[in-house]
Structures are given as C-alpha cells and as structure tokens.
Amino acid sequence: MHHFDYKHGALHVEDIPLSDIARDVGTPFYCYSSATLERHYRVFAEAFKAPETLIAYSIKANSNLSVVRTLAKAGAGADVVSRGELRRALTAGVPATRIVFSGVGKTRDEMAEALEAGIYQFNVESEPELQALSECAQSKNKQAPITLRINPDVDAGTHEKINTGRAENKFGIAWNKAREVYAHAASLPGIKIVGVDVHIGSQITALDPFEQAFKRVSELVKDLRADGHNIQRLDLGGGLGIPYAAQGQIPPHPDQYAAMIARVTGGLDVQLIFEPGRLIVGNAGLLVSRVIYVKHGENRAFVILDAAMNDLIRPALYDAHHDILPLAQPAPTAPYAPFDVVGPVCETGDSFAQNRDLPPLNAGDLVAIMSTGAYGAVQSSEYNTRPLIPEVMVHGGQMAVVRRRPSYEDMMAVEPMAQWLK
Ligand code: LLP
C-alpha cells in the first residue's frame, strides 16, 4: 500500500497534489512519501515477533539522508556497502550498533573506519577479506564481529543481473568450503565469529528460493555449533520483491515470508537480521516528468519526456516495468492507445516503456513513473550533462526538497581545467 492517489482528479502524494510540487520545483523530480516509508517499515518489522530482530535497511536502495532518517526514527538499523553509506547512516542518526557492513570488496580504510565507529557486524565474503579484517582489527587492539556470507547455490529466479546466490556468482563463500573457512576465522586473533549471513538476490517474488537457501544455512548453523563456534545471529539478507504494476504478480506478503522463516529457523535460538531495501522504499517513491513532445512515427507513437535513462536506468538495464500515470486523472471514457515512452538522451536504450497503453497525452502534460523509490535516484548519473534531479519528501501536508538540483556551475566546479590548458 502507498500514499499516491487521485483526489479530485489530481494525483496526490499524501495531502499534496504532485502538480503543485512540479510547479515549485520544476521537472523532473523524485518524490517520496514519508507515511509510505514508515508503513512499509512497520509492516515488515511487525511480521517478526522477536523484539531483538534487527531490520537493517539496505541503504543502497535509496540513500537520501531524509529517507534514512525517517527509517532510523522508526527503529531501522542499516546495511551499508561502502564508507560513503556508512557515513550516511551515521549522519542520518542510525546507531553504529545497528549497522551491518556487507559487500565483496571492503577496503582496509573502510574496515578501519567501521571498526572505529563500532558497527554491529561485518558480513565477510572471502578468505583474503577475513585476513585483512583480522589484521586491521588487531592493529587497533580490537576484534571484528563477523558473519561469513555463504553462497547457498540456490537460483533466486530473478533477473540475471540481480541473481546472487548461485555458485557461479561472485558473492559469498562456497557452500562446501563454509566449515573450513569458519575454522580458519576462529584461528584469527582479530576476528570474533558471531553468525552466518546469506543473501540470494533481489526482486524475488516466490518464497521457494528463500526457503531452500534458509534451510541450508539453518543446517549450517547446527553444524557450526557442533564444530564449537558460537553462532548467535542469522542474517538472512534482503531481496523480497514488490509489485511493480497495479495489475500483475503479487509477491508474498512479509507475514507469509516471516511464517516460512519461523518454520525453517524455529528452535535455532538465533537473533534474526534482515537487510530489506526495495520492499521498504520501492513503492514509496515516484518520478514526475513533463511531456516535451508527442511524436507520431511511421508505425509507432512516441511520448518524449524530460526525464531520461540517466535519471532512472532500471528499464534500460533490467527491462524493468514501471507503471506510468498521468498526473491529471483520465476520464473513464478516455481512449487508450499504445505509446513508446522515451527520454531525450541519444540512445535507443533511453526508453521507459514500449507499446504502453496510455490515455491521450499532450506536450506540457505531467506523468508519474511509479515505484521508483528504490534503485532510482541512487543509480542516476549526469550523462548528457543532465543535472541530477531533485528529491522531494512529503509528510502529510508538508513538503521538503531533500536533495536540491545542482546548477551547471555546481556541476562544472569539480572539474578544474588542466594547468597546461589554461
Ligand atoms: N543485502 C545485500 C547484501 C544486497 O546485495 C542487497 C541488494 C540487499 C541486501 C537489498 O536487496 P533488496 O531488498 O533491495 O532486494 N539495482 C537493482 C537491484 C540491485 C540489488 C543489489 N543488492 C534493481 O534496480 O533492481
């Protein structure tokens, strides 16, 4: 459920018409609903009964400081994958003791900063990383709390670019090497084993792959305990999918996901940790764009928007579907016709939708590209020297620009001319 609805013929975010924001901020822009963020967090958190369960919001999905702060105030921890994300989490008010650090390529500098901050755990993905972390912690007279991310060799059945749990992926430690690497970890002076971690992919819309993976790691917890390791935590990663289309496949509800997990991990006596990203922010955001032209080609009609692939790359990169709604509610009798919805960037891949049935649109009309709160703004770029677009957050009847649009001077100020060219 989200808080973007038509009221009196105009698409609103909470209590504000999106066209008012477009007038004040200009297009294109991202808009987030703080009520939706809070609601999604609450629904997920309430699915898990144990009070010690840690929901570490995966900051990579949307790292805007006001988004992270909204979730931190609701009780979320954070899953970070870089020094930048660590700093964002801390700046937004996430306590270090609720931060987990994931990723296959943590540098020693990043490890040092996270150790100084006193984060909750490192999810380690390889033996060389384990070695580096141990040395880094030892040099500070500390012990780094770690889980090992295990690759359970399960196919998450999602888009190949976001499928991470198969043996051939770069992620995690091979299933059949797990006990050996835990034994090695236990011998390292700077390392303190606290748990097991797994993450099999993103936008997963069935429970079965999760269940297979979680069964495997639950067995591993028992084996590791039998080997003498003190396994207190089980980090089950993120990946639960969201509905991207008003009419379409509905992924499992967090309650069903939680019930399956209770069944699979029940009796293990571990603290559960989750790293949801998309589930929390995906449907809490949309992108508002203005139609520049409507062009009737030989056998296709194009709606050309002022937003482009540099602002939202998901359709180009993952063939992702995003619903597109006009801000002015179409009449029930409006004649729908197929359009390709594209941006102004000079690439054929700069497309948001093909053959999409839309009501009549004219130059100057506003549209919303729905479900773009996750992996939207964070994956944007300045390609074609298009400034990064602003991000706006709404809270009831209040709105705030939570990331401003840079000026062209701002963009060029970070590019000093080489001295021999001056
Ligand atoms: N934990 C780890 C270790 C991850 O790698 C990810 C996502 C998450 C948690 C959060 O997953 P989520 O709950 O959001 O599915 N840019 C792609 C998605 C990339 C996902 C990367 N890892 C997209 O737009 O679909």
Side-chain angles (χ1 to χ4, degrees), residues 59 96 107 115 177 186 210 389 398 401 404 417:
I59 288 204
T107 65
L115 282 166
K177 282 191 74 185
F210 285 121
I389 68 178
Q398 299 179 66
V401 175
R404 64 179 176 79
M417 195 63 74

Side-chain angles (χ1 to χ4, degrees), residues 58 60-61 79 81 102-103 125 149 162 164 171 199 201-203 237-240 244 275-279 314 318 374-375 379:
S58 194
K60 64 167 77 70
D79 164 45
V81 292
S102 304
E125 299 216 16
R149 176 172 173 181
I162 50 176
T164 56
F171 300 98
H199 170 84
S202 196
Q203 186 53 19
L240 189 55
Y244 270 103
E275 303 167 358
R278 187 189 318 262
L279 185 89
R314 301 196 70 258
Y318 316 112
Y375 307 109
Q379 289 191 255

Side-chain angles (χ1 to χ4, degrees), residues 293-317:
Y293 299 115
V294 179
K295 167 169 147 174
H296 292 275
E298 191 128 301
N299 43 23
R300 272 179 184 243
F302 296 93
V303 172
I304 303 169
L305 299 181
D306 66 359
M309 65 191 292
N310 69 298
D311 305 311
L312 174 69
I313 203 166
R314 301 196 70 258
L317 200 53

